[in-house]
Amino acid sequence: MGYVLTQSGFSELVKSLESQYRIFAPVLKKGAGRHLDTDVVLYDFVKSAEEIELEHKSDYAFKEALLPMSETLFFFTEQQTKEADLDERPVLVFLRSCDLHALKRLDDIYLRNGKEIDPFYKRRRDLLHFVLIGCPHAFENCFCVDMGSNLTKDGYVFSIDSAEEGEDTVYRFEVPDASFNTFFEGAGGTKADVQHTYVTETKTRVRVPEEVPQAVMKDALWDEYTQRCIGCGRCNFVCPTCTCFTMQDVYYTDNGRVGERRRVEASCMVDGFTNVAGGGQYRKTKGERMRFKVLHKISDHKKRFGENMCVGCGRCDDVCPEYISYSHIINKVYDASEKVLQAKNAEGGEENE
Ligand code: SF4
Ligand code: SF4
């Protein structure tokens, strides 16, 4: 079940949705990229269809809808605390299949990771509904197929695909949530049998090891990154599944006993992340940090939650100023793991002879 709309119908649709929902979507910011005269696609609240970027992959992920880069959690005085207010209108988030899979990882970390849930995450999460942007083709550096995140079967209220037909742009919507039908009918939508597009192959391929033997922790492959990585943390900030944060207590200058507590995004690749009392630091070299990040994404999270944390969006490869390819690292870890396992099997074989 679905609908087809023209360009003007799509504008009408967004206008009527916007009267009931805040819309958080990828937006192309001209000239705001990291180099002079380059663009960037990041997430923002929009009011019109024209602002929504459907063609290019976003450079940053949707996760700020749940985990803003800096979020005031509560205010405190000497005697009291007050939770920060939140805009309680429901939010429609436009995102691609890999990011919808990333949402499940975020939920695992914040809602299903022990006895307590994170209430500040939960109160934002409860407001969100998702619109799936179809992917008619893979982008550079995507490897969603190998990570199993190319196809989404549920968790979205409707999908959107746009295509040029002659002089016009036509929009197709698969609408699994029938409560949205009225919006499409109000915008003059024609009923049609629609299924969202998704990719079935990517140019970038990864081989993810089933098991990473302990010996790979000490493999020389990590040393290269001590030399190449500059510890800027960009790869973490663009990643839809990186969730680490640090806490900041900000005291007001007029009264040093009053202030606010903020949760601020953090990066396991930057200096200081593993500093502990007494001047200790757990992961000093960039190679050690890379090892921690990569194995968290393709091994440790899976041991706890049953699936890999990385969804293969390729943003970390897109953004690294040192051209470090995370997908290459996964393949190197696979080769190193195979080598260790084969040596173990050969030893076992000799012992049995
Ligand atoms: S590790 Fe890289 S490819 Fe994997 S989800 Fe994060 S940004 Fe995307
Ligand atoms: S983006 Fe590249 S250089 Fe920066 S921390 Fe990540 S891997 Fe290192």
Side-chain angles (χ1 to χ4, degrees):
M1 174 63 183
Y3 291 89
V4 179
L5 288 176
T6 59
Q7 178 96 50
S8 61
F10 180 43
S11 299
E12 276 305 308
L13 175 79
V14 173
K15 210 189 278 174
S16 61
L17 287 169
E18 214 273 325
S19 66
Q20 292 189 31
Y21 296 88
R22 299 167 80 210
I23 299 179
F24 196 56
V27 175
L28 178 74
K29 303 273 183 187
K30 284 259 173 217
R34 70 183 140 129
H35 300 297
L36 203 62
D37 292 335
T38 59
D39 305 333
V40 66
V41 179
L42 37 79
Y43 269 78
D44 209 345
F45 285 99
V46 301
K47 294 209 172 291
S48 68
E50 292 66 36
E51 292 171 83
I52 302 173
E53 174 58 47
L54 294 172
E55 195 186 328
H56 300 102
K57 178 172 87 178
S58 66
D59 295 288
Y60 287 80
F62 75 102
K63 70 179 174 185
E64 280 189 65
L66 289 156
L67 302 163
M69 281 212 172
S70 174
E71 177 182 21
T72 299
L73 302 182
F74 56 84
F75 301 91
F76 54 83
T77 63
E78 285 171 71
Q79 306 293 337
Q80 293 169 321
T81 57
K82 183 199 173 292
E83 199 172 308
D85 293 335
L86 184 70
D87 188 330
E88 288 182 351
R89 283 173 293 166
V91 182
L92 273 184
V93 182
F94 282 60
L95 78 188
R96 295 181 186 275
S97 178
C98 56
D99 281 352
L100 204 41
H101 281 261
L103 175 74
K104 160 87 172 34
R105 278 58 166 178
L106 300 184
D107 285 352
D108 283 341
I109 294 162
Y110 280 90
L111 303 177
R112 295 188 277 268
N113 195 9
K115 276 195 234 150
E116 305 295 334
I117 58 157
D118 185 301
F120 298 102
Y121 177 92
K122 173 93 171 40
R123 67 182 192 154
R124 287 182 183 273
R125 178 71 175 85
D126 287 345
L127 298 173
L128 304 191
H129 305 270
F130 297 94
V131 176
L132 178 65
I133 304 174
C135 291
H137 60 84
F139 298 92
E140 195 186 356
N141 296 326
C142 293
F143 51 95
C144 54
V145 178
D146 288 329
M147 300 312 293
S149 64
N150 56 318
L151 175 61
T152 294
K153 293 189 177 148
D154 50 31
Y156 54 99
V157 291
F158 63 84
S159 72
I160 176 166
D161 272 279
S162 65
E164 300 303 316
E165 290 189 7
E167 305 259 294
D168 303 319
T169 307
V170 173
Y171 296 84
R172 292 190 168 77
F173 304 86
E174 181 194 336
V175 190
D177 185 335
S179 68
F180 281 79
N181 287 353
T182 48
F183 289 103
F184 290 95
E185 277 157 22
T190 311
K191 278 189 183 161
D193 194 11
V194 180
Q195 284 216 313
H196 70 271
T197 57
Y198 63 95
V199 298
T200 52
E201 53 184 9
T202 60
K203 210 165 123 205
T204 302
R205 300 292 311 270
V206 293
R207 290 163 287 136
V208 184
E210 268 307 310
E211 183 196 341
V212 180
Q214 196 65 18
V216 173
M217 299 279 282
K218 294 200 164 66
D219 196 284
L221 80 89
W222 306 110
D223 298 342
E224 174 186 338
Y225 304 103
T226 295
Q227 307 305 321
R228 290 179 64 196
C229 172
I230 56 170
C232 64
R234 280 167 177 262
C235 49
N236 298 117
F237 296 125
V238 297
C239 176
T241 64
C242 275
T243 57
C244 288
F245 59 82
T246 186
M247 304 306 292
Q248 287 179 351
D249 281 348
V250 179
Y251 295 91
Y252 301 149
T253 44
D254 285 350
N255 181 348
R257 291 167 182 248
V258 175
E260 62 189 71
R261 175 161 295 181
R262 292 181 190 161
R263 162 146 90 185
V264 180
E265 199 172 338
S267 156
C268 58
M269 299 301 290
V270 304
D271 286 341
F273 183 81
T274 60
N275 285 4
V276 289
Q281 196 181 1
Y282 284 112
R283 293 183 289 277
K284 288 196 180 77
T285 70
K286 312 286 191 305
E288 287 169 322
R289 296 176 200 172
M290 184 65 83
R291 182 189 67 203
F292 170 80
K293 182 186 78 174
V294 172
L295 296 187
H296 191 194
K297 300 276 181 197
I298 60 160
S299 175
D300 300 336
H301 185 89
K302 188 173 178 184
K303 284 183 197 153
R304 188 168 177 84
F305 295 109
E307 57 196 356
N308 285 311
M309 191 187 212
C310 173
V311 292
C313 71
R315 289 187 179 100
C316 51
D317 281 22
D318 298 337
V319 81
C320 179
E322 299 301 307
Y323 304 106
I324 292 170
S325 167
Y326 168 74
S327 53
H328 285 184
I329 302 175
I330 296 179
N331 290 332
K332 284 183 192 175
V333 174
Y334 179 92
D335 291 340
S337 302
E338 282 294 294
K339 217 162 120 190
V340 173
L341 292 172
Q342 278 165 14
K344 239 192 215 165
N345 288 342
E347 266 173 34
E350 272 170 28
E351 274 169 25
N352 292 336
E353 274 170 20

